[in-house]
């Protein structure tokens, strides 16, 4: 069967919620720490843990309001319905946080599985972080997307991947069908990875409809 894995920040959502979270509730070190990732000194999980430590005295109501206001990319709600009606499994794989993925999905009435970093806002306004989806051999993501794909799909599945950024580089190399936007399109072109450019989920849905007719998978 077809199994779709989809990035969250700036893919499902219009904006990068991770960035907005630290711009509003963290401090500049949340972004500066990634210099240590670029030099090879830190793994992604270390950068995320240090970034989360910059959040102090955050207001829960203010944070929840920001999440509820985050718009979804056009066609995503319809795409979720299409996958359900077509018996296509859809999972979100993100190096972002459960802190905002869960409330954003709930706010829009969407029930799908997701794999991300477990982050919780504590009573004192700090963030508690747990990396349940990490993989020791992967330094590029705290929540290893390839690891999730390999452990939640079968050999018979046709893997469809949808993404936009750096954390999507590895999964597009093992996917059977790729939908890419923004910097991921440049990576795919440079690496010679066949891909479908997209800006909304209506485009993805129409292309997948053709796949279901031309290459049915049960």
């Amino acid at each position: 069967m077809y199994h779709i894995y989809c990035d969250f920040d700036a893919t499902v959502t219009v904006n990068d919620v991770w960035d907005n979270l630290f711009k509003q509730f963290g401090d500049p070190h949340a972004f500066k720490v990634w210099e240590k990732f670029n030099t090879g000194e830190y793994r992604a999980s270390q950068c995320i843990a240090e970034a989360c430590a910059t959040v102090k005295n955050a207001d829960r109501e203010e944070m929840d309001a920001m999440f509820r206001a985050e718009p979804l990319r056009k066609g995503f709600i319809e795409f979720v319905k299409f996958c359900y009606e077509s018996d296509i499994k859809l999972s979100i794989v993100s190096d972002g946080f459960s802190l905002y993925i869960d409330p954003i999905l709930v706010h829009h009435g969407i029930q799908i599985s997701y794999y991300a970093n477990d982050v919780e806002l504590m009573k004192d306004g700090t963030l508690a972080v747990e990396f349940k989806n990490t993989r020791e051999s992967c330094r590029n993501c705290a929540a290893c997307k390839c690891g999730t794909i390999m452990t939640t799909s079968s050999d018979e599945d046709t893997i469809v991947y949808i993404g936009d950024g750096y954390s999507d580089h590895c999964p597009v190399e093992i996917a059977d069908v790729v939908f890419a936007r923004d910097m991921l399109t440049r990576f795919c072109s440079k690496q010679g990875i066949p891909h479908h450019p997209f800006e909304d989920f209506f485009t993805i849905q129409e292309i997948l409809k053709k796949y279901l007719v031309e290459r049915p998978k049960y």
Side-chain angles (χ1 to χ4, degrees):
M1 65 181 298
Y2 284 88
H3 192 155
I4 300 174
Y5 293 89
C6 184
D7 174 52
F8 190 78
D9 284 83
T11 299
V12 169
T13 57
V14 171
N15 304 301
D16 191 320
V17 187
W18 195 100
D19 278 2
N20 289 342
L21 172 69
F22 288 109
K23 285 176 182 176
Q24 186 164 343
F25 299 101
D27 66 40
H29 183 69
F31 300 94
K32 188 175 178 60
V33 68
W34 290 93
E35 294 175 5
K36 294 182 178 180
F37 176 82
N38 294 334
T39 61
E41 183 180 352
Y42 270 17
R43 298 165 62 89
S45 56
Q46 291 172 287
C47 294
I48 289 174
E50 217 167 278
C52 286
T54 69
V55 176
K56 300 173 183 177
N57 302 312
D59 182 82
R60 182 175 295 276
E61 290 187 5
E62 187 179 351
M63 188 175 286
D64 287 344
M66 185 185 80
F67 298 155
R68 288 193 301 270
E70 177 58 40
L72 302 184
R73 189 164 299 279
K74 289 182 179 179
F76 183 70
I77 293 176
E78 293 84 351
F79 183 70
V80 172
K81 182 181 179 182
F82 162 75
C83 290
Y84 176 78
E85 293 175 346
S86 303
D87 197 26
I88 296 174
K89 191 170 184 180
L90 172 63
S91 304
I92 287 173
V93 283
S94 172
D95 210 22
F97 302 161
S98 59
L99 175 71
Y100 55 78
I101 294 175
D102 191 60
I104 289 174
L105 292 178
V106 170
H107 177 66
H108 291 279
I110 298 171
Q111 293 183 328
I112 54 176
S113 60
Y114 70 86
Y115 304 86
N117 299 302
D118 289 275
V119 179
E120 181 181 357
L121 179 64
M122 308 304 287
K123 290 183 179 179
D124 63 357
T126 61
L127 298 181
V129 189
E130 188 174 359
F131 301 110
K132 292 182 179 179
N133 296 300
T134 191
R135 188 168 59 142
E136 188 175 352
S137 61
C138 179
R139 69 172 297 272
N140 295 330
C141 295
C144 181
K145 296 182 177 184
C146 286
T148 296
I149 292 172
M150 289 187 289
T151 56
T152 61
S153 63
S154 69
D155 292 340
E156 295 76 26
D157 285 344
T158 293
I159 304 301
V160 179
Y161 193 82
I162 305 169
D164 80 303
Y166 178 80
S167 66
D168 305 312
H169 287 188
C170 292
V172 298
E173 293 183 335
I174 65 171
D176 299 298
V177 182
V178 173
F179 292 91
R181 62 172 300 275
D182 202 39
M183 67 172 290
L184 188 61
T185 59
R186 297 190 291 275
F187 174 80
C188 288
S189 296
K190 185 177 180 180
Q191 299 299 318
I193 298 172
H195 60 283
H196 300 281
F198 77 97
E199 285 301 328
D200 59 54
F201 280 86
F202 292 120
T203 300
I204 298 174
Q205 182 173 324
E206 289 306 308
I207 293 173
L208 282 179
K209 281 182 180 178
K210 295 178 181 178
Y211 269 87
L212 292 178
V213 173
E214 298 170 0
R215 309 179 194 180
K217 198 83 179 275
Y218 304 104

